[in-house]
Amino acid sequence: MNIDENPAQDESDSSARGSRRLRPWVTVVATVVLAVMIATGLRIAVVDIYTVSQVSMAPTLEDSQRILVEKDYPGEQGVQRGDVIVFDGEGSFTPYEGSSSTLSQLGSRIGHWFGLSAPPATYVKRVLGVGGDAISCCDDSGRLTLNAEPLTEPYLGREVDAANPASELSFEAVVPPGRVWVMGDNRAESIDSRALLGAPGGGMISEDRILGRVSGVFWPWDERRELQEVSYQQQ
């Protein structure tokens, strides 16, 4: 009886079978890693996703909505009046917020990556004045004025008149160069530049604190839409 024994060949066949079994898993892991790297690059350089954690921008943006934020803003054109922006309020808006622990801040940042929460001290507001602008409230018709011209604000979702002014809080300010005057669309529930006139920076946000411009709503899926652009360009 002749028996051909080749242990080396058996080991080679076994190794090949093991390699074939591992190959699909290696492909899946490599694909996931590549996808994460691409997503990270896009979120760092192009567009990020933030969660609205406030009611100050209703009805334009609602609490818990996920929004798309363009990271290359303001770009060559600079900050534009009427734009809705996300910014870091550290040192300006934070006095109105309770202090949070390091663990809580870490949890918020992780939650931001997965679209579950906003990073600490992050706010979304509308730009109404840029460097050099004079902004005040209110004229005889209850409207804000920008460089002595009344503003029409369709995003407020309500009629504005002398009995129902655009802001219950009267103010008058000139925006310094390199800063912006921001307000929420839900004026009754918004802490913004109006309430910070006595704070460092006079209630205005430094342009280098801007994280990006809101371009649209991403989630919930049935509420997805582009944000309507509003332009208040003046000579």
Side-chain angles (χ1 to χ4, degrees):
M1 180 174 63
N2 295 325
I3 300 177
D4 293 330
E5 294 183 354
N6 191 342
Q9 181 64 40
D10 291 343
E11 290 179 4
S12 176
D13 292 344
S14 177
S15 176
R17 288 194 296 271
S19 177
R20 285 195 294 270
R21 286 195 296 269
L22 286 174
R23 193 172 298 130
W25 289 105
V26 171
T27 301
V28 170
V29 171
T31 301
V32 170
V33 170
L34 180 61
V36 170
M37 292 176 63
I38 292 174
T40 301
L42 289 173
R43 293 188 66 173
I44 290 175
V46 182
V47 62
D48 204 350
I49 299 174
Y50 282 79
T51 300
V52 179
S53 300
Q54 51 193 277
V55 297
S56 67
M57 281 301 294
T60 304
L61 299 172
E62 301 291 348
D63 184 41
S64 299
Q65 285 182 332
R66 274 65 166 176
I67 53 178
L68 297 173
V69 178
E70 298 173 352
K71 298 298 291 293
D72 61 349
Y73 183 88
E76 295 181 356
Q77 291 187 336
V79 182
Q80 302 296 306
R81 307 180 191 94
D83 285 346
V84 177
I85 62 170
V86 171
F87 62 91
D88 179 3
E90 184 71 33
S92 56
F93 279 40
T94 46
Y96 290 85
E97 300 288 343
S99 59
S100 57
S101 65
T102 301
L103 184 61
S104 176
Q105 293 181 14
L106 177 61
S108 295
R109 295 188 185 281
I110 294 175
H112 163 62
W113 179 255
F114 290 100
L116 301 176
S117 63
T122 302
Y123 301 85
V124 55
K125 305 288 181 184
R126 188 180 298 275
V127 176
L128 292 180
V130 297
D133 284 341
I135 186 165
S136 64
C137 181
C138 290
D139 66 8
D140 293 339
S141 299
R143 294 180 292 180
L144 302 186
T145 63
L146 176 65
N147 300 323
E149 296 292 330
L151 290 181
T152 300
E153 301 186 273
Y155 42 77
L156 296 182
R158 63 180 178 85
E159 294 294 328
V160 172
D161 54 36
N164 299 284
S167 170
E168 293 290 345
L169 179 63
S170 298
F171 60 86
E172 186 174 344
V174 175
V175 185
R179 293 185 176 270
V180 295
W181 178 278
V182 297
M183 295 175 67
D185 291 353
N186 185 4
R187 301 285 159 76
E189 299 293 336
S190 177
I191 295 176
D192 48 42
S193 293
R194 298 169 296 170
L196 295 163
L197 285 173
M204 277 66 97
I205 305 303
S206 178
E207 290 186 4
D208 62 14
R209 291 286 188 171
I210 297 175
L211 301 175
R213 183 183 76 94
V214 181
S215 61
V217 175
F218 172 74
W219 192 265
W221 191 249
D222 59 350
E223 298 176 14
R224 65 191 186 280
R225 57 184 168 84
E226 291 185 3
L227 213 63
Q228 183 177 0
E229 293 189 7
V230 177
S231 179
Y232 292 130
Q233 304 307 318
Q234 295 184 335
Q235 298 296 327

